[in-house]
Amino acid sequence: MSLHTFKRPLKLLIGWVMLIVGIITAPIPIPIGQIIALIGLSILVSESHWVKTKMQKIRRRLPVIGRQLKKMHPYMPRFLKKVIDDTDPTHLAE
């Protein structure tokens, strides 16, 4: 078996673990939980079409989230800008 066979499932596993750990540790006063969750989410959005579509649907149902993300977009690191752009609900097919 090739390395490519294991690469995507490994990335998905790491993304889910980071997202879950980030959500669990989010209430801690140090913002490390939020950072871990955002990194995990960025991995999942880049590797999973299902997660990307779900995020687009969430942003369509809750436009306040989209407005806040657009306000924060210029101040975000590049990987989070890509997540914001990739989950833009205007790209969601009906």
Side-chain angles (χ1 to χ4, degrees):
M1 294 220 175
S2 69
L3 179 64
H4 185 67
T5 308
F6 295 108
K7 193 173 182 181
R8 184 170 184 268
L10 184 62
K11 281 185 174 181
L12 288 172
L13 177 67
I14 290 170
W16 280 112
V17 168
M18 289 181 76
L19 181 65
I20 292 168
V21 169
I23 290 171
I24 291 170
T25 59
I28 296 173
I30 302 171
I32 193 73
Q34 293 92 340
I35 294 168
I36 292 171
L38 290 172
I39 292 171
L41 184 62
S42 70
I43 293 169
L44 290 173
V45 167
S46 69
E47 291 295 321
S48 173
H49 181 71
W50 180 81
V51 173
K52 183 177 175 178
T53 305
K54 290 296 178 189
M55 288 300 299
Q56 289 171 332
K57 288 180 181 180
I58 289 169
R59 285 185 61 187
R60 179 174 280 169
R61 285 190 191 124
L62 302 170
V64 69
I65 293 173
R67 287 192 298 270
Q68 288 297 326
L69 289 174
K70 285 185 188 249
K71 283 182 188 176
M72 296 184 312
H73 188 274
Y75 309 106
M76 293 287 175
R78 190 179 322 150
F79 75 95
L80 287 179
K81 286 182 181 180
K82 183 166 177 17
V83 171
I84 293 170
D85 294 338
D86 287 348
T87 60
D88 188 1
T90 58
H91 303 298
L92 185 61
E94 289 290 330

